[in-house]
Amino acid sequence: MIDSLLLEFMIIGTLGIASQWMAWRFRLPAIVVMSIVGLLAGPVFGLFNPEEDFGDLFKPIISLAVAVILFEGSLNLDFKEVKGLGRPVFRIVTFGAFISWILGALAAHYVAGLSWAVAFVIGGLFIVTGPTVILPLLRQAKLKPRPAKILKWEGIIVDPIGALLAVFAFEIIVFIQGTDVNPSSLLMFFLASIFAVILGIACGKGVGWMFETGYVPEFLKSPVVFTVVIACFTIADEITHETGLLSVTAMGMTLANMHISSIADMRHFKENISLLLISTIFVMLTASLTQETLLEIFNFRTIAFVLLMLFIVRPLSIFTSTWGTDLSKSEKLLVGWIAPRGIVALTVASYFSSVLLDAGFEDASILISITFALVFTTVVAHGFTIGWLSKKLGLSVEGPPGVLISGGSAFSTGLAKTLEELKVPVLISDSSWERLSSARSRGVKSYHGEILSEQTEYYLDMTPYEYLIAATELDSYNALVCTTFVPEFGRNNSFQLSLSNREGDNLEDLVHTIGGRILFEEGASFEELNTMVENGYVFRKTNITEQYTYQKYLANIDDAALLLFIKKPTGKIDFFSHDIEPKAETGDVVVSLTPPSKEFERIQEKLEEHRHEKNKKQEQDKE
């Protein structure tokens, strides 16, 4: 066991982030890796037990972390996004949640052997999915926008509803038992829930108003939001347990739909905080489990209950609630299967386990075991199958990683056409219809609109694209586009053209702090590249083989040619840039912008070879 709390906290954070990196590196579900790491550190090897070591601080830390995570997720719930999906989403989070609650309670009673009281509490609890598990899976699976939005909205909205249902079930149980309560306790519960929603909306409106009127300086905006979220959660939760989750969800949705630019700017900061909290909290929760809890998971009743929840309760609730909507059968199958449980289920289960035991329900002792069994089984099963199933159902974006080009021009069109010929998804975006004329004439996919507009995310599906190239004539605009989309594409995959070096423009220092990586060699600016295309330069594709190695290719290439990128057999694209010069290997395709003289020589060589073969054949025929 580790004696120092500071050292333990450092190890937990390191394990969480290391799990996230390992999941990214080997394309594994992050929640699965974090769960396994936590189990190994806690009950398996006994390095530490956070719940025992942190004592009374453990539950408040978990609760506040869940509040921040849920708030960050609700910041993405813009009502414009759900346009056209309102009916299915509403049905799933209301009628579907109710069916899931009832069926889950029946399964808990008849299959898991729990009393009716505990069964109805756990049935309400198990309708939750939540952003802690859904959002990482959606990023991994690359689902099409429609099913992805349904799963995201359900996960974030149902999280507080599930916690409230568990509280409501418990209040009903206590009322029926008649232990020191009166009917007013139920009324107080409903009033507390309504107060939590009003408090969340008020906090959201208040923060939004202060930001819009300039009452909060830019450097204090993130700390102010963070503090208000904690205050909003704490006030509501102190009045009635678990209503704090409802309050922060209402606050996040209010801010999301006010469309304040400051909130959009800090959203990425919130995402980073949320990722850190998810990584830390999941390791803490799994490391706090005991060996007895893990052994209880392998009980026959527990296994049967989990299988019933996966294969009967969830699909039945989704198919029933979405009956008569415009969801396709494939979408219903996917949504009916994907329902991983996460942090909220574990934290609320641990709370109700102690509360129900104190109330005299001895069977509540296995509540944590059943909850963890469902959590771990669902994150493993859904984490490893969401990609495969979405492809089988035609609901994922397949194919190699694509390229999004901002800025229409002769060079952009030529580059896009070359990528298309290599079977790479590509799209040119520009706000000018005229600048897109060359793309339209050559049949290149294009989007007419301002890429920096918030409307773009509703009309343009960016899921197929992993690389961004800002290729307009304005260096400052290119830098702005790259800076805006760095959180989506990553700095390594965000590129802009070389600076134009016009008189009066001094952006050389600026580009090191903002913007994307500089493409190609120095001097390959917008003007230079388009001049080359207009002067007859051609996009040349060269296959690297064992006979024609990359070294031979470099030795033969024209000195005036410009190396653009290397396409790997896996579909990955390595662009040549100022700071990195990739090396091609056997099987790769190297694309360059070659002067017409060199291309003319190649054509002449081919014609000469063709004549030589023809003459040789004629001579053989004469003989």
Side-chain angles (χ1 to χ4, degrees), residues 388-405:
W388 171 83
L389 183 61
S390 60
K391 288 180 181 178
K392 287 290 183 182
L393 296 174
L395 296 176
S396 68
V397 179
E398 298 186 51
V403 180
L404 175 62
I405 303 174

Side-chain angles (χ1 to χ4, degrees), residues 208-373:
W209 177 78
M210 288 193 296
F211 284 9
E212 286 184 315
T213 53
Y215 277 100
V216 180
E218 203 66 35
F219 73 96
L220 276 180
K221 287 184 176 179
S222 289
V224 165
V225 171
F226 194 78
T227 304
V228 174
V229 168
I230 294 176
C232 182
F233 170 80
T234 304
I235 293 170
D237 211 61
E238 285 296 312
I239 295 173
T240 299
H241 201 70
E242 301 307 334
T243 58
L245 297 178
L246 189 64
S247 192
V248 294
T249 303
M251 178 181 171
M253 291 181 67
T254 301
L255 283 171
N257 289 278
M258 291 179 72
H259 303 113
I260 303 170
S261 59
S262 301
I263 298 299
D265 293 339
M266 72 175 64
R267 181 176 286 129
H268 303 306
F269 166 76
K270 294 290 182 186
E271 288 175 351
N272 293 334
I273 292 293
S274 180
L275 181 66
L276 180 61
L277 290 174
I278 289 172
S279 306
T280 304
I281 300 307
F282 224 89
V283 172
M284 288 178 65
L285 285 171
T286 51
S288 299
L289 297 173
T290 62
Q291 292 183 353
E292 291 75 17
T293 301
L294 294 181
L295 290 175
E296 186 65 40
I297 292 173
F298 297 100
N299 182 288
F300 173 76
R301 284 180 172 269
T302 302
I303 295 173
F305 171 75
V306 170
L307 293 176
L308 198 63
M309 292 293 290
L310 261 70
F311 295 102
I312 302 296
V313 174
R314 171 66 178 184
L316 194 58
S317 65
I318 292 299
F319 272 85
T320 306
S321 61
T322 57
W323 183 272
T325 65
D326 61 346
L327 290 186
S328 66
K329 185 178 179 181
S330 296
E331 289 170 332
K332 291 179 182 179
L333 283 171
L334 182 67
V335 176
W337 170 244
I338 302 300
R341 277 65 168 186
I343 289 176
V344 172
L346 280 174
T347 53
V348 180
S350 64
Y351 165 75
F352 276 109
S353 176
S354 58
V355 170
L356 288 166
L357 283 171
D358 292 340
F361 297 98
E362 295 182 2
D363 55 335
S365 59
I366 65 171
L367 203 58
I368 296 177
S369 299
I370 292 177
T371 304
F372 183 75

Side-chain angles (χ1 to χ4, degrees), residues 482-523:
C482 288
T483 302
T484 301
F485 287 101
V486 156
E488 281 76 22
F489 291 91
R491 191 163 295 280
N492 287 338
N493 289 352
S494 301
F495 302 92
Q496 67 182 88
L497 297 184
S498 184
L499 299 180
S500 301
N501 293 325
R502 298 187 187 90
E503 288 186 22
D505 289 342
N506 187 19
L507 299 176
E508 191 62 40
D509 294 331
L510 182 65
V511 79
H512 296 300
T513 55
I514 67 171
R517 293 165 58 190
I518 303 298
L519 272 177
F520 316 135
E521 64 185 33
E522 189 174 352

